[in-house]
Amino acid sequence: MRDFAPDMAMTFQAEGLRVGRNGVTLLNVDHLAIDGPGPTLILGPNGAGKSLLLRCLHGLVAPDAGRVLVDGAPCAEALRTRQAMVFQRPVLLRRSVQGNLDFVLRRRGVPRADRPARIAALLAEGGLAQKARQPARSLSGGEAQRLAILRAMATDPEVLFLDEPTSALDPSATQAIEALILDASRRGIRIVMVTHDIGQARRLGQDVVLMHGGRVVEHAPAARFFEAPETPIARRFLAGALVI
Amino acid sequence: MQDFAQEFSLALRLILTGDPDLWEIVLLSLQVSLTAVVIAAAIAMPLGAALAVLRFPGRRAVIVLINALMGLPPVVVGLLVYLSLSRSGPLGVLQLLYTPTAMIIAQVLLVAPIITALTRQTVETLDAEYAEQLRSLGVSRLASVPTLLWDGRLALLTALLAGFGRAIAEVGAVIMVGGNINHVTRVMTTTIALETSKGNLALALALGTILIALAITVTAAVSALVERGEGAEVRHA
């Protein structure tokens, strides 16, 4: 597993990002720089454009206008191999738990002889060692999401995008996922995570981006955002008064 | 009624005594149809999967065409293969007419569209779920085809079963290109047709019984495999 200082983590700059569908603007971000240390949490109510922004940053959605710069250069396909993404509903391959990890390691060119040890280490890290041979799709929601994160980690990413990974989980499963995320962050992996859970953003975030109506309303260090939000929308959101 | 009972009893005796002529026909039928399904699957599965994941001009038209070919009349296929393999046809030099190979070619043409269409449908459904995740993992659209085929394997068994059903039950095309020659190209369906017209109901009934038993056995085996695969996912949940 790579070990590097947080200030060496991949940086992102979104410039003039526009995404629309059927004449409706869904994303309209003039400027956003994700370059600070610690996890970046993208907050906002439903329909704010959080997931769409995440997909644009990861390169899964091509914007109608604007661009995403990764480490100051346009995002190329090759750069995505240094990133990983975990989706709201974990998409697990129809094979065993260890088969899901083996798939990624094989694609990354890890020699066959080295894979079992890597898989065992990952499963131990995620508390899934006992379920290695079990069909992945028979896991509970929390276990499935943990496996999705472990599979993302198996790619040895520099950036981990997470799209509301705990939205359908109970508190204990959420806690296990958050532990994995914090551990990844401590190893120097840049975390960019979407959530609408303010409590989770307080627990995990060092950098907060608040979105509303497809726009970035506020972008600030977490402590400042939660203690002294600058915009009325942020204040309403933190007060639970901003529903949509 | 008494005649029917007598014929049926004779048919059972043919089966149980291991009549060599009867089992030769059964084995040739299986050999021809299984070979045809394997060849058709090797062509149709990657083709169906590629149709599911790739986007190109005319894709819709190709899908409509393949769906239409699922209902291709066997006698038309038989005629086309006959014309191609006949002495004056473009492939006449191969001298394949009235051989098991000609029957396999005809069955491949009949089965391939069925497997292609069902594979396309299965893989497209799976791709809708997998596409973003595979792309995020750095898997290109074309490179995702083997993954989608492997992960759709249980559903694709049903596509193979449909293809085998079409092949083993086929009469029109194989009789035209095979000629129903005794000990050479005589298969179950063509023999049933011939022996019934000759009034030799015992052999026809024996083959009919085996054909139905085969259909039930193969379907049951595939269903068991599919249920076992799906059950394994549920059992641990």
Side-chain angles (χ1 to χ4, degrees):
Chain A
M1 197 72 67
R2 192 180 348 88
D3 198 13
F4 58 87
D7 59 0
M8 286 172 66
M10 201 179 261
T11 62
F12 291 84
Q13 256 184 298
E15 303 285 355
L17 275 190
R18 304 280 183 276
V19 179
R21 294 281 183 275
N22 304 319
V24 179
T25 301
L26 303 175
L27 193 66
N28 188 358
V29 175
D30 290 330
H31 176 80
L32 174 68
I34 297 177
D35 51 13
T40 296
L41 272 285
I42 302 175
L43 274 169
N46 288 337
K50 311 182 292 291
S51 296
L52 192 54
L53 173 63
L54 204 67
R55 280 166 169 75
C56 282
L57 292 173
H58 186 32
L60 291 179
V61 171
D64 300 330
R67 61 182 184 165
V68 172
L69 300 176
V70 182
D71 285 341
C75 182
E77 192 73 23
L79 278 173
R80 199 180 310 125
T81 61
R82 291 159 55 196
Q83 310 168 6
M85 181 157 172
V86 173
F87 296 84
Q88 188 172 0
R89 275 189 56 204
V91 182
L92 299 179
L93 304 178
R94 286 162 171 77
R95 43 194 91 181
S96 68
V97 169
Q98 62 186 9
N100 268 267
L101 299 176
D102 187 71
F103 174 81
V104 171
L105 294 174
R106 196 173 65 238
R107 286 208 58 81
R108 293 291 157 130
V110 176
R112 181 190 286 264
D114 297 345
R115 283 186 235 145
R118 285 284 305 275
I119 290 170
L122 283 161
L123 289 176
E125 186 187 335
L128 292 174
Q130 301 298 317
K131 310 218 169 190
R133 292 176 186 279
Q134 196 168 308
R137 296 168 70 85
S138 70
L139 296 175
S140 69
E143 290 168 341
Q145 197 59 284
R146 264 187 284 157
L147 177 58
I149 292 175
L150 294 176
R151 191 178 56 188
M153 297 300 293
T155 66
D156 207 7
E158 290 178 40
V159 183
L160 183 58
F161 292 105
L162 301 120
D163 188 4
E164 301 197 42
T166 60
S167 63
L169 303 182
D170 62 33
S172 70
T174 299
Q175 199 176 22
I177 299 289
E178 287 182 2
L180 282 176
I181 295 167
L182 283 174
D183 191 43
S185 179
R186 274 192 288 269
R187 287 183 203 165
I189 297 171
R190 177 174 297 290
I191 303 292
V192 184
M193 176 170 161
V194 163
T195 184
H196 58 250
D197 179 345
I198 297 170
Q200 186 167 58
R202 284 182 190 274
R203 289 192 297 274
L204 300 180
Q206 288 194 26
D207 180 42
V208 172
V209 176
L210 177 68
M211 294 194 69
H212 185 241
R215 293 174 181 273
V216 171
V217 176
E218 193 161 332
H219 181 196
R224 198 177 79 201
F225 177 82
F226 289 116
E227 293 309 315
E230 287 179 0
T231 61
I233 289 177
R235 284 193 286 275
R236 280 176 60 206
F237 180 73
L238 290 174
L242 189 68
V243 180
I244 196 156
Chain B
M1 192 66 194
Q2 198 180 355
D3 282 353
F4 178 79
Q6 198 178 356
E7 294 292 348
F8 198 75
S9 142
L10 274 172
L12 281 179
R13 194 175 307 158
L14 281 174
I15 297 170
L16 296 173
T17 56
D19 181 77
D21 284 353
L22 178 132
W23 287 105
E24 183 189 83
I25 293 165
V26 172
L27 287 177
L28 181 65
S29 300
L30 284 173
Q31 187 193 331
V32 167
S33 295
L34 287 172
T35 309
V37 170
V38 168
I39 294 171
I43 301 164
M45 284 189 162
L47 181 65
L51 263 179
V53 301
L54 297 179
R55 297 291 177 268
F56 54 89
R59 176 177 172 270
R60 268 287 129 209
V62 174
I63 289 171
V64 169
L65 179 69
I66 284 171
N67 287 344
L69 290 176
M70 285 172 80
L72 201 59
V75 286
V76 175
V77 172
L79 179 63
L80 292 174
V81 177
Y82 177 87
L83 291 173
S84 305
L85 298 180
S86 63
R87 190 172 295 181
S88 54
L91 302 174
V93 67
L94 298 174
Q95 297 189 318
L96 292 175
L97 199 58
Y98 304 132
T99 65
T101 307
M103 294 154 77
I104 291 170
I105 292 170
Q107 288 196 355
V108 167
L109 292 176
L110 284 168
V111 168
I114 295 174
I115 300 180
T116 305
L118 294 177
T119 301
R120 201 265 313 158
Q121 213 168 9
T122 300
V123 171
E124 203 164 279
T125 306
L126 199 56
D127 186 49
E129 182 190 338
Y130 278 20
E132 272 197 325
Q133 180 66 76
L134 290 179
R135 203 168 157 220
S136 174
L137 290 170
V139 183
S140 71
R141 298 296 289 149
L142 208 54
S144 70
V145 165
T147 305
L148 292 166
L149 283 175
W150 177 249
D151 279 34
R153 60 198 178 275
L154 293 178
L156 292 175
L157 275 178
T158 312
L160 290 180
L161 180 65
F164 179 72
R166 168 90 162 184
I168 198 82
E170 211 294 302
V171 193
V174 291
I175 211 164
M176 288 171 80
V177 303
N180 205 16
I181 303 165
N182 203 10
H183 301 299
V184 181
T185 57
R186 196 161 284 184
V187 291
M188 284 192 279
T189 50
T190 59
T191 310
I192 290 171
L194 177 71
E195 297 301 326
T196 304
S197 68
K198 282 162 57 182
N200 183 6
L201 295 180
L203 183 57
L205 273 171
L207 288 168
T209 307
I210 292 172
L211 196 55
I212 290 170
L214 256 177
I216 292 171
T217 308
V218 172
T219 307
V222 170
S223 301
L225 267 175
V226 171
E227 275 172 30
R228 199 176 145 202
E230 287 170 348
E233 296 193 349
V234 175
R235 244 193 331 274
H236 296 277

